Amino acid sequence: MKMLGVPFALVWVVFGLSCILAGKVNKHKPWIETSYHGVITENMDTVLLDPPLVALDKDAPVPYAGEICAFMIHGQEAPFEAVVLNKTSGEGVLRAKGLVDCETQKEYTFVIQAYDCGAGANGVSWKKSHKAVVHIQVDDVNEFSPVFREAVYHAAVTEGKIYDSILQVEAWDQDCSPQYSQICNYDIVTSDTPFAIDRNGNIRNTERLSYDKQLRYKIMVTAFDCGQKRATESVAVHIDVKPVCKPGWQGWNKRMDYEPGTGSKQLFPKMHLETCDGPLSAVRAMVELQTSHIGKGCDRETYSEKSLQKLCGAASGSTDLLPAPSASTNWTASLLTDSGRDSDLIFRFDGRQASNVPERVVPQNLTDQFTIATWMKHGPSPGLRAEKETLLCNSDKTEMNRHHYSLYVHNCRLVFLLRRDFTQVDTFRPAEFHWKLEQICDKEWHYYVINVEFPAVILFVDGVTYEPYLVTDDWPIHPSSIDTQLTVGACWQGGEVSNPRFTQYFRGSLSGLTIRPGKIETQKVISCLQACKEGLDINSLESLGKDIKFHFNPAQSVLVMEGEDLESVNTAMAKVSYINSRQFPTAGLRRLHITTTVQCFGEDICISIPDIKAVVIVLPPSEPWITIAGSDRLVKPSADLRGAMGVAPFKELRITSTVTKSDGVPFSAVHRPGVLEVMHNLDYCDVLVIGEELNPEHESLEIHHSSLIGKHLDATNSTSGISIYGVDSMAHYEEALRQVRYRNWRPATLTNRRFRLTCSELNGRYTSNEFNLEISVLHNSAPVEHVNHMAVQSQYMRPVHHPLMVHTLNSHISGTPPAATVVIVICIAALVVIVVLGIYRLHSTHQDGSKREEDGAKDPKMDWDDSTLTITVNPMEAVEEVVRDEEDEEEEEDDEQAGDMSAESGDSDETEEEEEDEREVKKEGKQKSKLEWDSSSITY
């Protein structure tokens, strides 16, 4: 063994000396310029570089070490290669691997490095230069001919007129450079034609055309690029001659498709008014967008009334008297609903339905300030003498038939009744407020808001203020102990009749009926609550002529435009657009109606312009798929549940939304073909308890109010869960849900709790998946005395086997240079010394602990004596970090390097094994942290 050992040691010494000598021979790295600029003509392979590609090495003229062996290019699919022309001088050349195409890519940028030949013929200990940036520009060749954008062009002219431009033809060129891609000239190939064309492609007639002489002209037109290359194919232009002039709008399409999310889109971009050269003095056009069949009169947000009020900044404390039917709001279950239009909840009353609002819901004291708001659609009542139709009524429940306050329609008049109590008022005061408006019986949707600041009452209809035309006074109601009943859709008559019943039924449709005591609504909030999200618009108002006057109605469904100059009117009408600001609008048809009057000098109306009827088709939006993801199972110690903050079940929650795009629509940043992630608002998220409801005596599910500050969110909770509502972004909902806390201050018998989370957009029109989460409770087992933890393995700790350390060490040693090997050997020796000292220290500690236990100085309940605690740090972790840092530096320096040595691929495999081993050690360390030690029973 000794004889064999000596030669082996000599081999290592010789190998080390050879490596040192090799390092001394090849001392310097090659040197190249920091940047290069080059030009290559497309379809050629030679690159002209400035400066030329030359690498220098200070080791010259030493063979190999002072010679340049290779140039390496680093870049994503750069179609170039660098070749060494002279190893001694370091000259090289850059050339294309194949043909480059300017139309495909005009420029290339990549990185180049020079490599010397190392210390010997085998190329060992080679060195490389710094990285230089190379920028290559591809010169264009005029290889493409102009091509016309249309296969055939058509135009029509009226006989007897000279046109500055009948139509414009347009050609394009595929070449990449401006010199060869621009069209510099057009020419008419057909001879003897009464037409001419300019360099922009505008065709005009050179003489007056006659319908009787020729009905149609066909001319051929060609194009030339700026390199004077002619189009391979000429294009045919057909010009029809019209016999007479017919006044009216021309150049408009009967149908326009609107894709959601495209903003403002022009309705008639090419429309113009043909007046047959009449002497005009003024033109007036009215564009009307008819949307009465969409939702509540137009496309509005269909969020719940509470969410909309929160979004518009309305005062809190309102009561929704017509909510969606549910277990807690069951008084609307018997009413007829029309919720088939994008979750826009509408209640229809046919004169036979009404509902009593539960006493727990009714505001008990309206005070002198309160607001009543509702959407209403109502038509004329049948019969000569119409009956009262009650929307809302608060009357005596029994014995008497007094109406304390009510809102009703009578003969197309809206009446609000308010009878005060003697405790509030003891004089003859205003009691009935009457409004007579066309909107009340026009069978269209309108938004009504009654602001009461007694004795003043103001009505808002679609955001416009109306004072009552009639106010009648009455005496206050005498106080009594009779309970009152609030009714929607009729009035409750509980007294003065043998059978209590509903009377004064309402006929029409209602939605969003709310009452808010103590506050009145502002004009700004009212306008926000009733605002249409679709309407007419004008693109670039600043470009309109100064003589153009225009006016919108409040809903922007009617636009009136007036002007004296015909061209200004045509320009203004071409800018009339349709806009729908909803992210998910109501799909379907919107009708357009345009009426026009033309006034001539000295006459009222001289030309009759036919009306235009067109349609806008709002295409269906891409429906979002809302996905809730995160950890669906949490394991928490019972102590965490008892803590002041409890646990956050949804701390790792993630809410995303995706839409599926149709074919042909470009998109990026997708996870799979046809699917695009989008951002939009949510209007509520509900966390429901699965299983037994929460016991408020010892558990709660809640969110602190501070978590909702700065957001359009509010929250309510009960024993069945918690609901967060309000129109806000998915990010804000994520933040709020992550702050939901579950507490249980008596979890001894609790093993798990399950919750279900769902989120909605647009009041349930789009809902997420049902995300189920389970919290499992970990109960600590009672401590067991005198248990040898070295003999009995804890269920929360796994042993760390020494072969893992040996394997990791060997994997580092095999790929490290001699200097690192010396460091590792020294660290191993230090580790052995530390382990021996640690064992001795632990042995001494054990003996001291045994003596103290025998003397009775130690409390028998104490399991741990930290007076002599020694923490031993594994030095191999530092060694591994040093080696790993060195490898990382080498990998960054050699990133994307061609010609990597096979040993480096082996290092990467070892690095992966090392990371896997480290993860295993970390996992075992976490399990160790859960273990309780009893040092008194450790034996050695």
Side-chain angles (χ1 to χ4, degrees), residues 180-191:
Y180 300 133
S181 64
Q182 292 183 356
I183 307 301
C184 280
N185 195 22
Y186 292 91
D187 191 17
I188 296 178
V189 179
T190 307
S191 60

Side-chain angles (χ1 to χ4, degrees), residues 763-925:
N763 200 22
R765 178 178 173 185
Y766 305 116
T767 56
S768 70
N769 60 309
E770 293 184 349
F771 178 72
N772 295 320
L773 179 139
E774 180 179 341
I775 300 178
S776 298
V777 183
L778 262 176
H779 299 282
N780 292 331
S781 57
V784 181
E785 295 185 356
H786 305 294
V787 177
N788 189 338
H789 293 279
M790 301 299 289
V792 180
Q793 185 64 46
S794 169
Q795 58 177 333
Y796 304 120
M797 183 182 72
R798 294 188 305 175
V800 179
H801 301 289
H802 293 291
L804 176 65
M805 292 179 59
V806 174
H807 170 75
T808 306
L809 178 62
N810 290 338
S811 65
H812 282 295
I813 294 176
S814 62
T816 55
T821 305
V822 174
V823 174
I824 293 173
V825 171
I826 294 173
C827 291
I828 291 175
L831 175 62
V832 172
V833 173
I834 291 172
V835 170
V836 172
L837 291 176
I839 293 175
Y840 175 76
R841 189 65 179 269
L842 287 174
H843 182 67
S844 300
T845 301
H846 174 66
Q847 289 180 342
D848 293 341
S850 300
K851 291 178 181 179
R852 284 193 296 269
E853 184 178 4
E854 292 173 359
D855 296 338
K858 181 181 178 182
D859 189 346
K861 295 182 179 179
M862 290 291 291
D863 292 332
W864 179 258
D865 179 11
D866 59 358
S867 62
T868 58
L869 176 64
T870 301
I871 300 175
T872 301
V873 179
N874 183 3
M876 286 306 298
E877 294 180 358
V879 175
E880 291 173 356
E881 287 187 12
V882 171
V883 175
R884 191 156 50 245
D885 291 341
E886 291 177 352
E887 292 179 353
D888 290 341
E889 292 177 1
E890 292 178 1
E891 289 176 0
E892 290 176 0
E893 189 174 333
D894 297 336
D895 186 24
E896 300 178 358
Q897 165 182 305
D900 288 337
M901 306 178 82
S902 60
E904 290 179 321
S905 63
D907 289 344
S908 64
D909 295 337
E910 292 169 358
T911 303
E912 292 176 359
E913 294 175 1
E914 172 189 334
E915 292 175 352
E916 184 176 349
D917 295 340
E918 287 178 357
R919 287 195 297 269
E920 183 177 350
V921 171
K922 289 181 180 179
K923 184 175 180 182
E924 292 166 352

Side-chain angles (χ1 to χ4, degrees), residues 115-152:
Y115 291 75
D116 62 19
C117 297
N122 57 358
V124 68
S125 299
W126 47 263
K127 292 184 180 295
K128 60 186 177 181
S129 70
H130 60 268
K131 295 179 179 179
V133 178
V134 181
H135 182 78
I136 304 296
Q137 181 178 349
V138 182
D139 280 352
D140 189 23
V141 174
N142 193 6
E143 55 185 330
F144 292 100
S145 301
V147 177
F148 286 92
R149 295 191 180 276
E150 303 287 343
V152 180

Side-chain angles (χ1 to χ4, degrees), residues 56-74:
L56 303 176
D57 197 312
K58 290 184 178 182
D59 292 320
V62 177
Y64 301 111
E67 297 177 348
I68 304 301
C69 270
F71 292 98
M72 292 295 179
I73 292 177
H74 308 287

Side-chain angles (χ1 to χ4, degrees), residues 157-163 194-195 204-211 213-214 217 241 277:
V157 297
T158 303
E159 61 177 347
K161 293 181 61 177
I162 297 293
Y163 293 87
F195 300 98
R204 59 182 177 85
N205 57 325
T206 57
E207 61 184 50
R208 300 182 186 275
L209 305 179
S210 172
Y211 177 78
K213 181 180 178 180
Q214 190 167 344
Y217 291 88
V241 180
D277 294 332

